[in-house]
């Protein structure tokens, strides 16, 4: 669909209008947008978790572990669902799955991860531009259905008894390309409906979808694992496709689609300027979109133009290292937990998968906290850098003391998740939306998806590198992996140094030499 063509109001909203007899208020639409995009991206992340859950099944490495004993039946504070040892130990009866159960199994698992993330990263740049030129609702719908299809096909390799490495590689690459449609689209949709006021806090809460998706994906994949590892992919893939149907039916990607003006052209105040808009008759509000004056003449910006927006490059490079750290935990934490003694005991694959979700519980708190702090002090870069520096001791303490007991492991894991996911969440949400609606674009929201794609696409290159390096470094010992994570967190913080200095200078009253931080200082003006 070309930029200038008309879009249609989502069919689910048309049905609700006929039932209610009038349009929703802007406030109600905003709630609906947050909920639908939350569910949509939670589905994306849920479909990424299966590979981390089944790693220990595909490559069990039984020779590396001493005989196990049953874990304490009543551990603090989460109960048996997280840490009870199953009566039938999957690791003991499973011999792995060719071609991942050989000597180079962990390396091949790392290659599978990097294939997915490399295609995801490269596809992000294309998807961002397409998101600014096509109908975001349809673009997101087909992205979710396609992604769910290929995730499910990966799992079908179990039932078809496929042992060819190229099959699993191709499925992951195809899934990665379709997954690239997600993040630029949902950020652009939210940016279309919300102004900058309290954007950090709102998007910090909304960004919990990442962790909620990880948690749900882990629980679903681990829950069906006993029926065969293929179901750990098929079930999340099916849920992903259902999410695509929800988006198609109910997602109003632009205010214009349901009869409201473009928020970014009105400084985010269309509710105040049109207090009686909810009283407008449905036919007057408009059954089709694109009718708002001046909308048809908007064009998406190019990649080079988007890169020239002040602040885009530093945050993109910071996210490269931030996602390197975050995605290493995403893809390898369950495997690490199953291969590492905790309180002198080992846990099963299912138990490790369930326990790893607590890292994302900490990540939810971190995302909300980072958004709130950055809003309060109007300092996105300083907040992100501070969290990254704090993640360094948090990760080291977790590695060296996480094996003391289950209680200590849970607490330290949640603290590490808080500091690791906080800046990652902030940069990919509020910062991307800020830069995508920067004043140099003269209110053209069509840059939202492109800017988001540049930042997250660069970050996803780091997300691909981290799991790949982990596949090789884990053979040298997990200490080498954690040292890599420390270096990544340090680089992420240092790359924001210039913007941090600019924000500090502004707080001290020096605002004449800080062009690089304009998108950050623009907050609240």
């Amino acid at each position: 669909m070309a930029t200038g063509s008309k879009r249609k109001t989502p069919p689910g909203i048309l049905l609700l209008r006929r039932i209610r007899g009038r349009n929703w208020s802007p406030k109600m639409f905003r709630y609906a947008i947050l909920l639908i995009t939350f569910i949509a991206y939670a589905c994306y992340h849920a479909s990424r978790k299966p590979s981390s859950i089944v790693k220990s099944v595909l490559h069990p490495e039984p020779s590396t572990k001493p005989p196990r004993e049953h874990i304490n039946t009543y551990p603090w504070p989460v109960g048996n669902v997280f840490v009870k040892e199953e009566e039938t130990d999957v690791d003991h009866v499973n011999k792995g799955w060719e071609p991942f159960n050989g000597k180079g199994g962990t390396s091949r698992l790392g290659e599978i991860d990097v294939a997915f993330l490399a295609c995801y990263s490269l596809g992000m740049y294309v998807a961002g531009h397409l998101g600014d030129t096509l109908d975001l609702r349809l673009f997101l719908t087909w992205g979710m259905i396609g992604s769910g299809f290929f995730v499910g096909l990966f799992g079908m390799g179990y039932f078809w008894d496929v042992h060819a490495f190229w099959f699993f590689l191709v499925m992951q690459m195809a899934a990665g390309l379709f997954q690239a449609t997600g993040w630029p689209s949902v950020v652009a949709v939210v940016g279309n409906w919300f102004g900058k006021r309290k954007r950090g806090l709102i998007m910090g809460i909304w960004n919990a979808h990442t962790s909620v998706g990880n948690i749900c994906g882990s629980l679903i994949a681990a829950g069906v694992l006993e029926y065969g590892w293929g179901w750990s992919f098929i079930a999340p893939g099916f849920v992903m496709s259902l999410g695509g149907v929800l988006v198609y039916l109910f997602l109003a990607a632009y205010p214009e689609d349901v009869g409201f003006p473009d928020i970014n052209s009105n400084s985010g105040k269309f509710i105040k300027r049109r207090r009686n808009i909810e009283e407008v008759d449905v036919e007057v509000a408009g059954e089709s979109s694109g009718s708002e004056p001046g909308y048809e003449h908007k064009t998406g910006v190019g990649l080079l133009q988007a890169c020239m927006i002040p602040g885009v490059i530093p945050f993109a490079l910071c996210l490269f290292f931030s996602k390197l750290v975050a995605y290493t935990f995403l893809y390898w934490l369950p495997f690490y937990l199953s291969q590492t003694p905790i309180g002198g005991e080992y846990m099963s694959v299912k138990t490790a998968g369930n326990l790893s979700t607590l890292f994302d519980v900490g990540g939810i708190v971190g995302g909300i906290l980072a958004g709130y702090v950055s809003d309060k002090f109007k300092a996105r870069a300083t907040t992100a850098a501070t969290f990254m520096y704090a993640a360094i001791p948090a990760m080291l303490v977790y590695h060296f003391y996480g094996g003391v007991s289950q209680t200590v492991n849970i607490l330290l894991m949640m603290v590490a998740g808080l500091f690791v996911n906080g800046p990652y969440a902030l940069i990919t949400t509020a910062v991307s939306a800020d830069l995508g609606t920067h004043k140099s674009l003269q209110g053209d929201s069509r840059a939202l998806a492109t800017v988001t794609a540049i930042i997250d696409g660069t970050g996803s290159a780091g997300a691909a590198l981290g799991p790949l390096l982990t596949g090789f470094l884990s053979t040298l010992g997990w200490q080498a992996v954690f040292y890599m994570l420390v270096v990544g967190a340090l680089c992420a913080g240092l790359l924001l140094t210039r913007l941090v200095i600019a924000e500090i200078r502004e707080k001290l009253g020096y605002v004449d030499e800080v062009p690089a931080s304009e998108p950050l200082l623009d907050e609240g003006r």
Side-chain angles (χ1 to χ4, degrees), residues 318 321-322 324-325 388 395 483-493:
C318 171
F321 290 101
S322 179
L324 181 152
V325 176
M388 288 311 308
M395 291 187 295
Y483 285 155
M484 175 196 75
L485 297 177
V486 166
V487 172
L490 179 62
C491 291

Side-chain angles (χ1 to χ4, degrees), residues 145-423:
I145 293 175
S147 179
F149 175 74
F150 284 106
V151 170
L153 277 184
F154 189 102
M156 289 303 298
Y158 171 81
F159 299 99
W160 294 337
D161 199 29
V162 176
H163 296 280
F165 180 66
W166 67 265
F167 172 83
F168 300 106
L169 191 69
V170 170
M171 292 304 103
Q172 285 290 75
M173 292 172 69
L177 287 174
F178 276 95
Q179 288 259 332
T181 61
W183 191 241
S185 299
V186 295
V187 172
V189 170
V190 174
N192 288 338
W193 280 92
F194 289 86
K196 289 187 175 183
R197 185 173 178 268
K198 294 186 178 180
R199 178 179 277 169
L201 176 60
I202 292 171
M203 286 191 145
I205 297 172
W206 171 75
N207 192 67
H209 53 50
T210 298
S211 297
V212 170
N214 291 341
I215 293 170
C216 292
S218 296
L219 295 177
I220 292 173
V224 299
L225 187 60
E226 60 185 292
Y227 304 108
W229 64 260
W231 285 110
S232 295
F233 288 87
I234 294 173
F238 178 71
V239 172
M240 178 77 160
S241 297
L242 288 181
V245 175
L246 174 68
V247 166
Y248 174 78
L249 292 176
F250 295 103
L251 182 67
Y254 312 85
E256 305 97 306
D257 288 1
V258 286
F260 300 115
D262 177 11
I263 188 172
N264 290 302
S265 65
N266 290 300
S267 304
K269 298 180 180 179
F270 63 75
I271 296 180
K272 293 182 179 180
R273 295 187 179 189
R274 299 180 64 180
R275 292 183 183 274
N276 64 337
I277 195 166
E278 61 268 27
E279 305 299 333
V280 177
D281 185 80
V282 170
E283 293 183 359
V284 177
E287 294 291 335
S288 63
S289 62
S291 59
E292 197 65 21
Y295 175 78
E296 300 291 348
H297 298 93
K298 289 187 176 182
T299 58
V301 303
L303 287 174
L304 182 60
Q305 181 184 352
C307 287
M308 298 305 293
I309 298 173
V312 167
I313 296 302
F315 275 112
L317 294 176
C318 171
L319 191 63
F320 176 93
F321 290 101
S322 179
K323 289 191 75 169
L324 181 152
V325 176
Y327 269 65
T328 298
F329 279 99
L330 174 69
Y331 279 95
W332 285 94
L333 183 57
F335 185 80
Y336 170 74
L337 289 170
S338 69
Q339 301 291 322
T340 305
I342 299 175
E345 299 168 325
Y346 287 85
M347 61 182 64
S348 70
V349 177
K350 180 177 180 179
T351 299
N354 290 336
L355 186 64
S356 68
T357 61
L358 295 175
F359 180 86
D360 292 294
V361 172
I364 293 174
V365 178
I368 296 173
L369 183 61
Y372 172 76
V373 172
S374 68
D375 275 346
K376 184 175 181 62
F377 296 100
K378 296 182 176 59
R380 305 280 200 229
T382 304
T383 302
T386 301
F387 270 67
M388 288 311 308
Y389 291 138
I392 295 175
M395 291 187 295
L396 290 176
V397 171
Y398 174 68
H399 174 56
F400 289 117
Y401 297 100
V404 171
S405 69
Q406 293 162 5
T407 301
V408 173
N409 188 280
I410 289 171
L411 290 175
L412 295 181
M413 185 193 306
M414 294 177 69
V415 171
L418 185 152
F419 289 115
V420 168
N421 284 355

Side-chain angles (χ1 to χ4, degrees), residues 13 17 23-35 193-194 250 252 258 260:
I13 293 179
R17 279 179 175 177
N23 202 11
W24 275 348
S25 67
K27 184 177 182 179
M28 183 60 69
F29 269 113
R30 280 177 157 171
Y31 287 144
I33 291 300
L34 287 177
L35 177 61
W193 280 92
F194 289 86
F250 295 103
V258 286
F260 300 115

